[in-house]
């Protein structure tokens, strides 16, 4: 069997859900083709068993010939073994095709999520990505697995039809007309079922969302109560989903009945007519038994065809959601053209910024603090400097939006408190650029500057500890210091920090402030903060009110400004 | 990452048995309908056998037999439809119960367990495992039931045709038995491993999606893709292992059920040649045995799904009561928190003590750690009187938040005790604990539902006036009134800012109105001005309550009656602001560092 993941999954075909699935199947075309062959041999071997049994009855039993009985009995056994071996070979091919589709889609989705990057939360909810990555991926795999199954089923029908036509063209015709009629009739019952299934799926995914919501807010619920309310809410939603499922089950039950009735009626017709032919001498009793066998057997490929139709339908629905997700484009924040100006050459000091909207000016090579009277102003301002939003900001003397986006990300690092700490070994997590290979103590020094040695000391394996999802085991202050350490390890040309010490205590904060100034010595650093300790260490402070830079100077100078003092010295404000 | 526990196979089986017997009448109806459907399916080959014999002899019974066959086909179809509907009804009922119980179990889960396992695992269980179980209940169980019934009835039919003719088909039994035993012994663990590998895939993708901006900022897309590739490789290996198991198992059983057809035909044929059986009987027996193929195939096919379903059930039940004790799980330290659906003990109605002689909250010799051998709290003693306002300060990582959680009863101390009015917190049912102590953290989650739903968590029957009062107390009424209390918020609804989410959390608190409030940096997300204002209005609402505020900003400490200073898991100083300043210890140093700007005293 082929191994996954494919090192080069190729490009997805996003023109339509159908072409997406076709391209996926095409990537494993040898396997899919082999699967078709095995499936066909397997099903045809199975289909020939009734013929062999019929010969055994005619030549062996009716003719009372022991050798013929043994011969045809052996043929049945040989066909059985052939069917078993090719059957499992087909299963392996189907699994490979299915995993190929699922895993490739997962690779596409992961790759696209990383390429959407900062645009992702603006384009799609994380829950939607998860729903595609967990549920739809499985449906796509399933649909691909059913391709060879369906082809095998069709082949079986053809072979059986041929045998029957040779034996008795009238009876063969009955079966040949009967089978397509059955398929059409089943598809007709399938259509309203599909509609209802779509409705049911929506209800069920709402139900899942509610459960996921409860899981997400579990800490809150366990703290303040309301479990009963959520349990009740979930229960009534669950009961609604149950009733919807029973409504769908009603249609399904009709379909199940039809699956018995239609082949059954066909069998009856064949037997009726066949028995008459035996009386006329046009057919032997053994051939009648064989015809009965064919007619019963045909329900297997028929069922496979309907299952395959269902799986492909679900696969198309899933592929539509996948292609929609994969077609999302990153938020346009300017020219990402490869010919884009790379701006001022990187220098040790880094370049400065100018934001014409706010009037904010950042001089290169020093630690600038920005105090926003309204904390909501800080994020958008930092987003403009880091080009997470389109703006007229200039970097050096070049409009930021004209630079190549890769250059921007390499040179300017914006860290806010929503920055994600990924699970995994802290040694890797704190050194995303892998700089420790060249500068052995870089992580150690950054952790020291962020005053986070005590965080590592509290972990069982220090730097080699594998932290859990999103660093939930860490307190807000611990996580914040590790994020700061990570940013310092990256050591970008320009570092923009948004409220980097909002969750740490005053004592730790003063240590961080002193260390930060030293670590970023003569390099462009912008800190958004309202904390006097941090501001006191900045070489320059800009005060922003209502989105405009209204005052600047050192912290000590600005304290003369009442509006500024009201913001930074809030604890002294008379109530 | 320490995963959530998984229930043992024995426990999962016992639970499935109990579930099956919970609705005996419906189960009985389902079984009877399936038996009748299968029985009418068996009449057809028998009639055909007779027909073959008749026409071979030249007797014309064709029309009569054909009409009979037709009648039984229609009967079988109708019975099958009804049987499927009945089992779907029952299945959906059981399924709804299962998922509702699962959510109840999740809601009764100790927080410490959730934090350790991460939400990825729980999310997979609520999505993929509930899904797998649904498939098992909706399809695997009814199909298995039908197949089992059909097999038993077919064997019965064979015995009726002639006990001798039933013997040849038994040749398959030992082969099937041995192969199935071999397979099942390996399959459960293999499928559990397969499920676990998909959990990791989901967790990895969830992080990539949640942290997408960070991925771009740090340019670690390649690392995230590599992580996904690793997870896929692990899932692929798990899938290939289960495929290997099937590669051994399936061809053996496939051969094993062609064998009886051959033996019945050949040996039965020999009987016929020696005058021991009629042509009709041998034909019918061969058809019966051949007809066994389908239900046995179905049975074995769905065994696979049943395995998946049972693995899913084991994972869902694993949430119920952890099998693996961890350092602060209830299993090792006392009875589990009663879940919301379980009846609370009788003590609920009795107040801990009359309001007059309340003794406040106290910690004695409390030690606690999230992992073995690393204590975050060390031998903490603390007494807070009723109505007192205590601030806890200290460096990050000193154990402030942990102390708050231990005081609130979220974690059980490893040693020592927490008492509320001289009653051990560990012994209080959760419902009562909450009327005593409420913890509000900096974490905020906006639930799917209306704005009202998000506020009334602690008092679900609160009226709109109470909701408005609570929202006004935290300065949230303006925007809340704009949105309307019926506005849909949370995932899929109107997005609220972190500050608004925090206000909602505080509004819940004022509605809960507990005797003791523990605020863990509960206003940290609000901008400084609003924070100050909210804290002031909150103080008015909470007047007379015991308030323990964990703060990294010292102005909160300044306003408190007493301040506890924590260092490395211990309380090193305790006293009023002025006392501590005079003492000139750690707090005084902190205060001076915070106050280190030039124009302040």
């Amino acid at each position: 069997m082929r191994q996954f993941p494919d090192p080069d999954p190729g490009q997805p075909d996003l023109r339509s859900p159908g072409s997406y699935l076709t391209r996926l199947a095409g990537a494993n075309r040898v396997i899919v083709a082999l699967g078709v062959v095995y499936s066909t041999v397997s099903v045809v071997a199975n289909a020939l068993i009734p013929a062999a049994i019929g010969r055994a009855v005619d030549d062996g039993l009716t003719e009372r010939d022991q050798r013929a009985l043994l011969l045809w009995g052996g043929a049945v056994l040989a066909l059985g073994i052939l069917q078993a071996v090719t059957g499992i070979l087909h299963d392996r091919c189907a699994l490979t095709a299915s995993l190929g589709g699922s895993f490739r889609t997962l690779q596409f989705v992961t790759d696209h999520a990383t390429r959407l990057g900062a645009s992702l939360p603006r384009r799609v909810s994380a829950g939607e990505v998860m729903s595609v990555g967990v549920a739809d991926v499985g449906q796509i795999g399933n649909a691909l697995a059913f391709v060879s199954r369906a082809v095998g089923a069709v082949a079986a029908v053809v072979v059986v039809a041929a045998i029957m036509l040779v034996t008795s063209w009238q009876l063969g015709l009955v079966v040949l007309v009967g089978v397509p009629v059955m398929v059409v009739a089943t598809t007709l019952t399938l259509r309203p079922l599909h509609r209802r299934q779509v409705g049911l799926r929506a209800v069920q995914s709402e139900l899942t969302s509610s459960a996921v919501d409860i899981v997400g807010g579990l800490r809150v619920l366990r703290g303040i109560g309301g479990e009963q309310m959520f349990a009740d809410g979930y229960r009534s939603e669950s009961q609604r989903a149950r009733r919807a499922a029973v409504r769908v089950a009603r249609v399904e039950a009709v379909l199940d009945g039809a699956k018995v009735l239609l082949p059954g009626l066909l069998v009856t017709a064949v037997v009726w007519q066949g028995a008459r032919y035996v009386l006329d001498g046009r057919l032997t009793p053994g051939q009648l038994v064989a015809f009965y066998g064919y007619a019963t057997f045909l329900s297997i490929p028929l069922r496979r065809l309907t299952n395959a139709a269902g799986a492909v339908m679900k696969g198309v629905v899933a592929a539509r959601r996948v292609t929609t997700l994969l077609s999302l484009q990153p938020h346009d924040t300017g020219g990402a053209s490869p010919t884009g100006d790379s701006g001022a050459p990187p220098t040790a000091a880094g370049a400065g910024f100018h934001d014409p909207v706010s009037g904010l000016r950042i001089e290169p090579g020093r630690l600038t603090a920005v105090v926003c009277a309204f904390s909501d102003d800080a994020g958008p301002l930092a987003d403009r400097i880091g080009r997470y939003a389109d703006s007229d900001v200039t970097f050096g003397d070049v409009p930021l939006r004209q630079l190549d986006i890769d250059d921007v990300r390499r040179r300017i690092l914006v860290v806010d408190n929503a920055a994600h700490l990924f699970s995994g070994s802290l040694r890797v997590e704190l050194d995303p650029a892998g700089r420790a290979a060249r500068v052995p103590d870089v992580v150690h020094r950054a952790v020291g500057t962020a005053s986070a040695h005590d965080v590592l000391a509290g972990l069982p394996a220090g730097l080699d500890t594998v932290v859990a999802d999103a660093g939930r085991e860490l307190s807000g202050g611990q996580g914040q210091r590790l994020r700061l350490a990570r940013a310092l390890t990256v050591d970008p040309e320009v570092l923009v920090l948004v409220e980097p010490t909002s969750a740490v205590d005053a004592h730790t904060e003063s240590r961080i402030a002193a260390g930060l100034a030293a670590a970023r010595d003569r390099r462009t650093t912008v800190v958004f903060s309202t904390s006097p300790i941090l501001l006191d260490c900045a070489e320059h402070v800009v005060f922003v009110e209502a989105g405009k830079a209204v005052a600047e100077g050192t912290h000590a100078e600005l304290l003369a400004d009442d509006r500024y003092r009201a913001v930074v010295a809030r604890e002294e404000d008379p109530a | 990452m320490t995963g959530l526990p998984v229930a043992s196979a024995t426990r999962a089986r016992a639970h499935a048995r109990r579930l099956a017997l919970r609705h005996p009448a419906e189960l009985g109806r389902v079984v009877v309908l399936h038996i009748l459907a299968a029985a009418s399916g068996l009449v057809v080959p028998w009639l055909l056998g007779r027909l073959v014999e008749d026409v071979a002899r030249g007797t014309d019974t064709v029309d009569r037999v054909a009409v009979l066959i037709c009648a039984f086909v229609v009967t079988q179809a109708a019975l099958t439809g009804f049987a499927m509907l009945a089992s779907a009804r029952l299945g959906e009922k059981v399924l709804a119960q299962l998922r509702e119980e699962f959510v109840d179990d999740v809601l009764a889960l100790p927080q410490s367990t959730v934090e350790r396992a991460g939400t990825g695992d729980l999310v997979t269980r609520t999505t993929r495992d509930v899904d797998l179980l649904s498939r098992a209940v909706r399809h695997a169980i009814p199909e298995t039931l039908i197949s089992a019934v059909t097999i038993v009835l077919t064997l019965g039919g064979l015995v009726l045709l002639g006990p001798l003719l039933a013997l040849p088909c038994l040749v398959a039994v030992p082969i099937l038995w041995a192969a199935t035993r071999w397979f099942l012994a390996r399959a459960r663990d293999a499928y559990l491993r397969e499920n676990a590998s998909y959990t990791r895939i989901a967790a990895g993708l969830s992080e990539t999606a949640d942290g997408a901006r960070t991925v771009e900022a740090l340019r670690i897309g390649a690392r995230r893709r590599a992580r996904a590739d690793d997870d896929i490789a692990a899932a692929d290996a798990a899938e290939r292992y289960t495929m290997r198991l099937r590669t051994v198992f399936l061809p053996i059983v496939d051969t094993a059920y062609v064998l009886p057809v051959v033996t019945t035909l050949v040996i039965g044929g020999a009987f016929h040649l020696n005058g021991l059986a009629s042509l009709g009987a041998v034909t019918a027996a061969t058809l019966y045995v051949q007809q066994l193929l389908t239900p046995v195939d179905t049975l074995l096919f769905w065994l696979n799904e049943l395995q998946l379903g049972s693995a899913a059930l084991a994972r869902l039940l694993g949430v119920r009561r952890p099998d693996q004790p961890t350092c602060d799980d209830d299993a090792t330290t006392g009875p589990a928190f009663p879940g919301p659906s379980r009846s609370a003990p009788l003590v609920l109605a009795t107040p801990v003590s009359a309001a007059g002689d309340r003794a406040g909250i106290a910690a004695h010799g409390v030690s606690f750690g999230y992992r073995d051998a690393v204590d975050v709290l060390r031998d903490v003693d603390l007494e807070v009187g009723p109505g007192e306002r205590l601030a806890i300060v200290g460096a990050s990582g000193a154990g402030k938040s942990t102390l708050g959680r231990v005081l609130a009863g979220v974690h059980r101390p490893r040693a020592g005790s927490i008492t509320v009015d001289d009653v051990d917190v560990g012994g209080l049912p959760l419902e009562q604990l909450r009327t005593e102590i409420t913890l509000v953290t900096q974490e905020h989650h906006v639930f799917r539902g209306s704005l009202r739903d998000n506020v009334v968590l602690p008092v679900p029957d609160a009226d709109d006036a109470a909701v408005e009062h609570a929202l006004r107390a935290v300065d949230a009424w303006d925007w809340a009134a704009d949105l309307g209390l019926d506005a849909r918020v949370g995932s899929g609804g109107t997005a609220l800012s972190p500050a608004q989410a925090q206000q909602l959390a505080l509004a819940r608190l004022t509605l809960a109105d507990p005797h003791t409030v523990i605020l863990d940096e509960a206003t940290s997300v609000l901008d400084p001005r609003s924070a100050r204002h909210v804290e002031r209005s909150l103080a008015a609402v909470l007047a007379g309550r015991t308030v323990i505020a964990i703060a990294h900003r010292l102005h909160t400490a300044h306003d408190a009656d007493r301040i506890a200073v924590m260092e490395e898991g211990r309380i090193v100083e305790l006293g009023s602001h002025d006392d501590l300043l005079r003492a000139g210890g750690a707090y005084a140093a902190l205060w001076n560092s915070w106050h280190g700007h030039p124009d302040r005293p």
Side-chain angles (χ1 to χ4, degrees), chain A residues 32 37 76 81 112 132 160 223 251 306 325 393 448 524:
Chain A
V32 172
V37 172
V76 172
I81 291 172
H112 199 67
V132 168
V160 169
V251 185
T306 53
L325 177 70
V393 168
T524 309

Side-chain angles (χ1 to χ4, degrees), chain A residues 160 164 170-180 266 270 291 295 298:
Chain A
V160 169
M164 286 189 302
Q170 297 96 328
L171 266 193
L173 217 58
V174 171
V175 176
L176 273 189
V177 173
V179 169
L266 188 65
V270 168
F291 263 99
L298 274 178

Side-chain angles (χ1 to χ4, degrees), chain A residues 21 139-140 142-144 146 150 186-187 190-191 193-194 197-198 201 252 255 259 302-318:
Chain A
L21 288 176
Q139 301 285 18
I140 285 174
N142 220 7
L144 293 177
F146 266 100
T186 332
T187 322
L190 213 59
R191 205 164 289 157
L193 179 65
H194 178 232
Q197 273 170 340
V198 169
R201 176 155 179 216
E252 275 174 337
L255 188 65
K259 277 180 183 169
L302 178 74
R303 204 163 295 179
R304 281 194 176 186
L305 276 177
T306 53
N307 285 346
V312 169
M313 231 147 48
K314 284 183 189 161
V316 169
V317 172

Side-chain angles (χ1 to χ4, degrees), chain A residues 26-43:
Chain A
N28 284 315
R29 55 189 166 274
V30 177
I31 294 289
V32 172
L34 262 180
V36 167
V37 172
Y38 289 139
S39 165
T40 309
V41 172
S42 168
V43 186

